[in-house]
Amino acid sequence: LGFKSFADRTQINLDSGITAIVGPNGCGKSKILDALRWSLGEQSAKALRGAHMQDVIFNGNEHRPPTGMAEVTLTFDNADGKLPIDFAEIQVTRRVYRSGESEYLINKAPCRLRDIQDMFMDTGIGTNAYSLIGQGKIDLVLSSKPEDRRYLFEEAAGIIKYKSRKRVAM
């Protein structure tokens, strides 16, 4: 809702397995990926193709005024208990207001960005995880330095959580 060119509430259902979003230039493919990355805690406005975080808020057009905030909610089926939270369905929400204030919520309860990052750690879901690969990033993965590829393999193997905990403890 109010995210980039999605002024109205827009719902996109992604089934299990691999999903590819295809379409002509300018139809919003990259904006969908930006919304996913942003709601999972992306902190770099540049990574979201903007200069400031408020750039993700719908800026208006000749037919509509600008919105005061942007909100993205991701709903996950957790019936199998793969995420470490005792709910069969988990909603992760991020909001940003024109004032610069930002909110994170898990199942409509306020939380910290760290809580969201910890919940998704070693699941393959996250801002830098292998599950969200945008246009032009496939070549980067295939031709990147071994250290960069190693991060993807460690994420897939499930050891990033332990390396992160060690880094925080040190």
Side-chain angles (χ1 to χ4, degrees):
L1 172 67
F3 186 85
K4 291 194 172 189
S5 61
F6 296 100
D8 295 322
R9 185 168 301 278
T10 304
Q11 182 173 328
I12 300 169
N13 295 316
L14 303 175
D15 294 323
S16 61
I18 296 174
T19 299
I21 301 172
V22 296
N25 290 341
C27 72
K29 300 179 300 288
S30 294
K31 289 181 178 98
I32 293 170
L33 182 63
D34 288 348
L36 294 171
R37 291 174 51 94
W38 181 74
S39 63
L40 292 170
E42 178 60 63
Q43 295 298 296
S44 168
K46 184 179 175 185
L48 299 170
R49 300 172 299 127
H52 306 283
M53 199 51 74
Q54 288 87 341
D55 291 344
V56 302
I57 301 172
F58 178 72
N59 236 359
N61 59 32
E62 65 271 2
H63 305 291
R64 302 197 57 166
T67 59
M69 71 156 192
E71 174 183 299
V72 175
T73 299
L74 301 178
T75 304
F76 295 90
D77 179 359
N78 192 40
D80 57 7
K82 286 189 178 179
L83 294 173
I85 189 167
D86 292 331
F87 291 97
E89 186 174 273
I90 300 171
Q91 288 187 328
V92 175
T93 302
R94 183 175 182 182
R95 291 185 191 125
V96 68
Y97 299 91
R98 289 216 181 266
S99 65
E101 293 178 60
S102 184
E103 295 178 312
Y104 294 94
L105 302 108
I106 296 176
N107 288 349
K108 299 181 182 173
C111 68
R112 303 170 303 163
L113 169 59
R114 183 85 187 146
D115 298 327
I116 292 171
Q117 291 171 332
D118 288 347
M119 182 171 62
F120 289 115
M121 197 163 294
D122 289 336
T123 63
I125 301 170
T127 58
N128 294 317
Y130 59 87
S131 61
L132 302 173
I133 300 176
Q135 181 179 348
K137 299 292 185 190
I138 294 172
D139 286 340
L140 178 67
V141 170
L142 296 176
S143 65
S144 65
K145 297 180 284 185
E147 301 84 38
D148 297 337
R149 283 195 312 265
R150 179 180 178 152
Y151 181 85
L152 293 174
F153 290 122
E154 289 176 346
E155 175 76 25
I159 62 173
I160 294 296
K161 174 177 18 183
Y162 304 106
K163 283 188 156 193
S164 177
R165 287 180 185 166
K166 178 182 174 184
R167 187 178 66 251
V168 168
M170 291 178 83

